[in-house]
Amino acid sequence: MVGRVLLGLCSVPGPRSVRRVQQLSSLRNAVLLSERKRRSLLYPFSELETHLSRQVDQGCFRLFQPSMEELFMAEKIFTPSPRHDIVYSSSAVHIEHMPQLAQPEVCFIGRSNVGKSSLIRALFSLAPDVEVRVSKTPGHTKKLNFFTVGRAFTLVDMPGYGYRAPKDFVEMVEPYLQQRQNLVRTFLLVDGGAGLQKLDLVAVEMCEEFGIPYVFVVTKIDRTRQGPLLTLLLQLRDFIKDQTSTCYAQPFIVRY
């Protein structure tokens, strides 16, 4: 359920100001758009599938297509209320300092500057009191940052790997992925313009070795031409099918 909630909201774009974020992220505004614009906004793959040959099997790209009712349910979970607090909880560097929480947990991981913090900020766009720092400088996140979404689940923003990654990145991240008992889904972000890189493959190997359920999220699709983006999605489809065992079959695409 936690994964469905997050994936259902991943396609909803978020803004650069709180007011604009709330306007664009609210599904109540999305339903006022024309059918074509609304579908493009909520189901971004629909813009790409028309450019694929009919001989290409597109089934894996349609495994998860939440209904509007499901999207409204997901949005409600990301909307704070007096009985449903959405807050920054804590940060940690070592596993012994991490909060001991019983509720399910999901984490976001990816290369430095892949758009991870921007995506998380967009997910929390209806909770303006939650501060998710976004920087143009790669490697801004240096700790594991925990955000609690009521009693539903905890979202963990992990440091980026690669350029300007924390020196103790492996010591910080590997024990978390291997030992965190309530971790139910890992979202592995891949830059739509750069494609699957060597360091991304290392992250894949960790998830596979530890038997962690994970899913690819392709970022920055608005900055990537359709041809290369479609090529990447088809490569990921084949990679998931042939070289993974715990990865969700459908790669997801977001605009950040």
Side-chain angles (χ1 to χ4, degrees), residues 106-117 119-120 141 144 155-162 165 169-170 172-174 176-177 183 185-191 199-200 202-204 206-207 210 212-219:
V106 298
C107 71
F108 284 64
I109 190 171
R111 288 192 307 117
S112 298
N113 206 35
V114 74
K116 176 171 51 63
S117 295
L119 175 56
I120 294 173
T141 304
L144 280 75
L155 187 152
V156 185
D157 182 8
M158 307 187 77
Y161 48 79
F169 176 85
V170 174
M172 188 188 317
V173 170
E174 190 170 287
Y176 171 83
L177 293 176
L183 177 63
R185 182 77 65 180
T186 295
F187 292 85
L188 177 52
L189 277 59
V190 176
D191 190 316
L199 288 176
D200 297 323
V202 173
V204 168
M206 275 200 302
C207 293
F210 301 149
I212 299 171
Y214 65 104
V215 58
F216 281 115
V217 180
V218 179
T219 64

Side-chain angles (χ1 to χ4, degrees), residues 65-118:
Q65 291 197 76
S67 66
M68 288 300 299
E69 181 180 0
E70 289 173 322
L71 287 174
F72 274 113
M73 291 174 60
E75 182 178 76
K76 185 177 181 180
I77 291 177
F78 276 89
T79 303
S81 69
R83 296 186 178 182
H84 183 70
D85 288 333
I86 300 177
V87 297
Y88 160 77
S89 173
S90 62
S91 297
V93 174
H94 301 293
I95 192 165
E96 58 267 23
H97 300 148
M98 297 177 191
Q100 298 302 312
L101 303 169
Q103 60 198 43
E105 210 158 84
V106 298
C107 71
F108 284 64
I109 190 171
R111 288 192 307 117
S112 298
N113 206 35
V114 74
K116 176 171 51 63
S117 295
S118 295

Side-chain angles (χ1 to χ4, degrees), residues 10-42:
C10 273
S11 62
V12 181
R16 297 183 179 179
S17 69
V18 171
R19 184 176 181 181
R20 179 172 167 78
V21 171
Q22 292 175 328
Q23 289 177 342
L24 289 180
S25 296
S26 174
L27 289 171
R28 288 175 297 179
N29 291 287
V31 296
L32 299 177
L33 299 173
S34 67
E35 182 178 352
R36 185 182 65 82
K37 289 184 178 180
R38 181 173 66 250
R39 183 166 182 78
S40 172
L41 178 71
L42 301 178

